[in-house]
């Protein structure tokens, strides 16, 4: 019997080329110029007007390269001479180069059940105006002063006109509810006014500006990450305590939205201390029932506290007012016990978040969280340390003004600068 021939062994893989033989991977001159231009523009955003000499120090480029860079950016309408520096030195004063801030404007819109607020900014991030629009009950049916979508677009247009802004580069809209990551559309929630979902398309069509839609708690988280208490941290969670409760999750420097846009919907989180469990459509029985505005008001009444006279008897404004009064020592004998009980409730939600994500830091935001400030944060930190084996710092939000609008402007400016700071 003939033995079949053995197959030839596989050829040995060719040895990798000697390092000296590999082609060098370097940026093309055009790419290098684009990178340097963007670095210089970002430095002008961060530091304000700079001299060519200071740009040379900050970028490490040669003097001729900086001169060419400034010439290119001036030709593109992004940089101009805004003044002089070095009045105390001998010789001619150095020119100061600044970003052309009015090259583009952006807007942020915060949609709430009872109203809409706006903020405008120029390309340098400077405030360029804003407005607030109350929306009354019955707005979904076209009552309460007219169609709220039409009123929102008109109010934004009026704010632009009053600020002397003719066009918008990008508009960031913050709204309660989940944003579908596949479509970018606002999902219909049982507690959300129906008109919210129609606002982004109306702005896009009527004002001709690109619109970025984002959950409002996520925008507040972006603001705290870039401008506030979590600045410089790669990982943290913003715990929003307002009309409802929610969370913005930032891990490894990136905002996390989840498969369906529902990351941070902690109002549905089952927790001890409630009368039941939440359902797929109603968060009653979840963490919302412990720390939402109505629950905070009920807790305050249980401790003999009442909102100040200027505040309503219920709702987020009442919860904010009674917490602020308790922290200031103006709410009566039950204030300390109320704050301790509130901290216990907030710590329950924070402990659940920490056990899953281990963020190392929780920032208390929303109207109630900001009203509680550092005193509430310290109490929550104490309770959390006794509930969780994971070291978790608890801070209060520090962004001034509206964190939702602040995060919206950051988001819109990022979009504008990505386009304008990248040469075509």
């Amino acid at each position: 019997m003939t033995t079949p021939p053995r197959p030839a062994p596989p050829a040995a893989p060719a040895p990798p080329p000697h390092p000296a033989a590999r082609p060098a991977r370097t940026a093309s001159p055009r790419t290098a110029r684009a990178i340097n231009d963007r670095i210089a523009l970002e430095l002008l955003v961060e530091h304000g007007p700079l001299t060519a000499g200071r740009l040379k120090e900050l970028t490490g480029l040669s003097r001729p390269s900086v001169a060419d860079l400034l010439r290119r950016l001036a030709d593109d309408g992004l940089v101009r001479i805004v003044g002089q520096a070095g009045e105390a030195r001998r010789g001619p004063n150095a020119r100061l180069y600044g970003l052309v801030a009015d090259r583009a404007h952006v807007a942020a819109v915060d949609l709430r059940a009872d109203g809409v607020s706006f903020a405008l900014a120029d390309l340098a991030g400077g405030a360029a105006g804003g407005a607030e629009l109350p929306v009354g009950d019955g707005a979904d049916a076209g009552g309460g002063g007219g169609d709220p979508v039409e009123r929102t677009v008109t109010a934004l247009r009026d704010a632009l006109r009053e600020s002397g802004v003719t066009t918008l580069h990008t508009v960031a809209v913050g709204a309660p509810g989940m944003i579908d990551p596949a479509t970018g559309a606002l999902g219909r929630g049982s507690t959300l006014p129906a008109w919210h979902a129609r606002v982004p398309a109306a702005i896009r069509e009527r004002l001709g500006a690109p619109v970025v839609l984002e959950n409002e708690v996520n925008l507040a988280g972006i603001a705290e990450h870039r401008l506030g208490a979590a600045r410089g941290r790669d990982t943290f969670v913003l715990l929003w305590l307002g009309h409802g409760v929610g969370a913005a999750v930032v891990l490894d420097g990136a905002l996390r939205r989840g498969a369906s846009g529902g990351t941070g919907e902690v109002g549905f989180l089952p927790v001890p201390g409630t009368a039941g469990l939440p359902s797929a459509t109603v968060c009653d029985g979840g963490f919302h029932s412990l720390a939402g505005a109505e629950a905070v008001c009920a807790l305050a009444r249980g401790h003999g506290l009442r909102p100040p006279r200027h505040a309503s008897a219920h709702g987020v404004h009442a919860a904010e007012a009674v917490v602020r009064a308790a922290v200031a020592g103006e709410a009566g004998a039950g204030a300390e016990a109320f704050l301790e009980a509130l901290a216990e409730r907030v710590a329950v939600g924070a402990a659940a978040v920490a056990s899953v994500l281990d963020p190392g830091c929780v920032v208390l935001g929303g109207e109630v969280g900001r009203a509680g400030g550092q005193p509430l944060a310290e109490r929550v930190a104490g309770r959390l340390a006794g509930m969780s084996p994971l070291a978790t710092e608890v801070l209060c939000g520090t962004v001034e003004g509206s964190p939702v609008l602040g995060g919206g402007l950051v988001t819109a400016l990022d979009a504008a600068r990505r386009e304008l700071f990248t040469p075509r």
Side-chain angles (χ1 to χ4, degrees), residues 29-96:
R30 180 188 177 118
T31 301
R33 285 195 298 269
I35 293 172
N36 291 335
D37 288 357
R38 175 150 192 169
I39 290 173
L41 289 166
E42 290 173 347
L43 286 170
L44 290 173
V45 168
E46 180 182 358
H47 296 280
L50 296 169
T51 64
R54 183 61 178 146
L55 274 172
K56 174 180 177 296
E57 294 174 4
L58 293 171
T59 61
L61 297 173
S62 66
R63 189 174 296 277
S65 294
V66 170
D68 289 342
L69 175 153
L70 289 171
R71 190 178 306 113
R72 284 194 305 272
L73 296 180
D75 290 343
D76 289 340
L78 289 168
V79 167
R80 63 186 169 207
I81 298 171
V82 296
Q84 294 183 333
E87 290 82 352
R89 70 186 180 92
R90 299 178 63 183
N93 294 332
R95 294 173 174 176
L96 275 172

